[in-house]
Amino acid sequence: MTTVTFQIGPNPPPRLDKALGRDVPPEAALSRSRLAKLITDGAVCVNSAVITDPRFRITEGAQVSVTVAMAEESHILGQNIPLDVVFEDDDLIVVNKPAGMVVHPAPGTPDGTLVNALIHHCGESLSGVGGQRRPGIVHRIDKETSGLLVAAKTDRAHHHLADQFAAHTVERRYLALCYGVPDANDPRLRGIKGTSFEAGNILRIQTFLGRHKTDRQRQAVSFTAGRHAVTRARILTALGAPACAALIECWLETGRTHQIRVHMAHCGHALIGDPVYGGRRKLSAKAVGDAGVAAVAGFSRQALHAATLGFEHPVTGENLSFEAALPADMRGLLRALGGEG
């Protein structure tokens, strides 16, 4: 057990939970949701009296003590799995996840995940998220998508990062290889519902996304139900002669399951290698050569990489931005299609 003591500052919010969220010392690493639970659990005293009502009206100068149990060990075991750590401090860690790694344990994948690796790597530096010694996962990327992901090491950092993702203020940019070239000069694209072009030949796709009606493992585009989703994409390099594929940059206004994969397939530019949404398309040997055709046929995952991640540090307020270069398999595919990998 540890006890955090502090005094309520001037002009506090009237509710106890909001006042604690404002004035609790940053080093306590307690989020608003964690403090709310501690109040209802009877772990908060105001002027030596236990208060269990989050709506309790608190005043300036009140003496507060919060008793916090030591974080319990997670039921998820740490595993010594190599990690490509891009950045790490006391509050968070940014990693470059390889393709093939699941982010969080789930039925069918009980171990060997990024969370297992993070628990081992971070060890005692995990102060606890929600009362458990585990990393706080605030976003995920698909198993076969490579690239950047941030995880919180404290409860407070987890809450702050989650707020940024919910507010869509986090910068996330992806590199992808797709079939065809999503160009504004293509009249077919302008006829697809939900697609439009912005200045600079930027493709904008806006739909709802939800579970597929018959295949629960897939997501599907809808215009009547589901969750609002907006994806933007621009061409970086047209590939082939004549052009029949492209290296594109995609960025998200929202972050939905499989969003880029579903949206690019919806507009007829599915990602190369995507086993779920990519179909069985083939490129012409006349356009990309036999090596290009073979490279596409042998690429066994969606050609998607989370290349840029930017957010505000949850404690210092510093704006952080990280980049991860294309992994070797995507560089090889790009070269085979005539690009510079």
Side-chain angles (χ1 to χ4, degrees):
M1 291 280 188
T2 184
T3 300
V4 180
T5 59
F6 56 99
Q7 187 178 63
I8 298 298
N11 303 313
R15 288 175 56 115
L16 174 62
D17 54 356
K18 294 181 182 293
L20 298 193
R22 188 195 73 171
D23 290 349
V24 68
E27 58 270 20
L30 294 172
S31 67
R32 292 192 299 272
S33 58
R34 179 79 171 124
L35 285 165
K37 188 174 189 308
L38 288 168
I39 293 169
T40 57
D41 287 348
V44 174
C45 289
V46 177
N47 296 329
S48 301
V50 175
I51 305 297
T52 58
D53 183 358
R55 298 167 298 178
F56 175 80
R57 191 172 187 84
I58 197 164
T59 57
E60 177 182 336
Q63 297 292 325
V64 176
S65 64
V66 181
T67 302
V68 185
M70 297 299 291
E72 299 176 358
E73 294 300 323
S74 172
H75 67 283
I76 303 172
L77 297 177
Q79 292 178 289
N80 188 7
I81 301 170
L83 286 173
D84 180 1
V85 177
V86 177
F87 175 85
E88 182 177 8
D89 65 9
D90 291 341
D91 303 292
L92 58 88
I93 181 170
V94 177
V95 298
N96 183 14
K97 184 187 84 68
M101 176 181 274
V102 173
V103 171
H104 199 282
T109 315
D111 54 23
T113 72
L114 178 62
V115 168
N116 295 107
L118 287 172
I119 288 175
H120 178 273
H121 171 85
C122 296
E124 292 300 313
S125 69
L126 292 171
S127 70
V129 172
Q132 282 198 335
R133 196 180 295 280
R134 60 179 176 82
I137 302 298
V138 291
H139 68 126
R140 305 187 189 195
I141 52 180
D142 298 333
K143 175 183 177 182
E144 297 300 342
T145 297
S146 56
L148 295 170
L149 185 145
V150 59
K153 296 170 70 174
T154 70
D155 199 59
R156 189 183 185 93
H158 182 251
H159 188 90
H160 196 292
L161 288 168
D163 282 349
Q164 292 182 61
F165 275 91
H168 308 305
T169 59
V170 176
E171 180 187 16
R172 285 175 290 172
R173 291 184 179 252
Y174 294 74
L175 297 176
L177 286 154
C178 70
Y179 291 105
V181 184
D183 194 284
N185 293 319
D186 183 354
R188 180 194 63 82
L189 272 176
R190 294 187 177 275
I192 297 174
K193 188 174 183 180
T195 65
S196 60
F197 279 90
E198 299 176 338
N201 202 17
I202 294 173
L203 172 65
R204 183 178 188 272
I205 310 165
Q206 178 176 340
T207 72
F208 293 109
L209 291 180
R211 294 278 187 186
H212 193 280
K213 290 182 179 179
T214 59
D215 185 347
R216 304 301 291 173
Q217 301 303 310
R218 292 167 58 101
Q219 298 292 305
V221 162
S222 172
F223 294 95
T224 58
R227 303 182 72 189
H228 175 70
V230 178
T231 302
R232 288 179 173 83
R234 69 182 181 100
I235 304 162
L236 296 179
T237 309
L239 303 166
C244 58
L247 173 66
I248 60 174
E249 180 184 44
C250 302
W251 59 101
L252 303 175
E253 187 173 309
T254 57
R256 312 302 183 200
T257 302
H258 299 175
Q259 180 174 319
I260 291 173
R261 298 165 62 190
V262 179
H263 269 172
M264 294 309 298
H266 169 69
C267 69
H269 294 284
L271 303 191
I272 291 174
D274 192 331
V276 178
Y277 306 101
R280 297 184 178 181
R281 297 174 62 170
K282 295 183 179 180
L283 299 183
S284 166
K286 291 183 179 180
V288 298
D290 292 337
V293 171
V296 169
F299 201 81
S300 58
R301 70 169 179 105
Q302 62 266 11
L304 183 62
H305 175 67
T308 302
L309 179 64
F311 54 89
E312 180 185 285
H313 192 284
V315 175
T316 68
E318 180 184 0
N319 289 321
L320 302 177
S321 184
F322 306 97
E323 294 186 1
L326 279 177
D329 61 346
M330 284 185 66
R331 292 200 306 271
L333 177 60
L334 180 58
R335 286 195 298 268
L337 294 174
E340 297 182 3

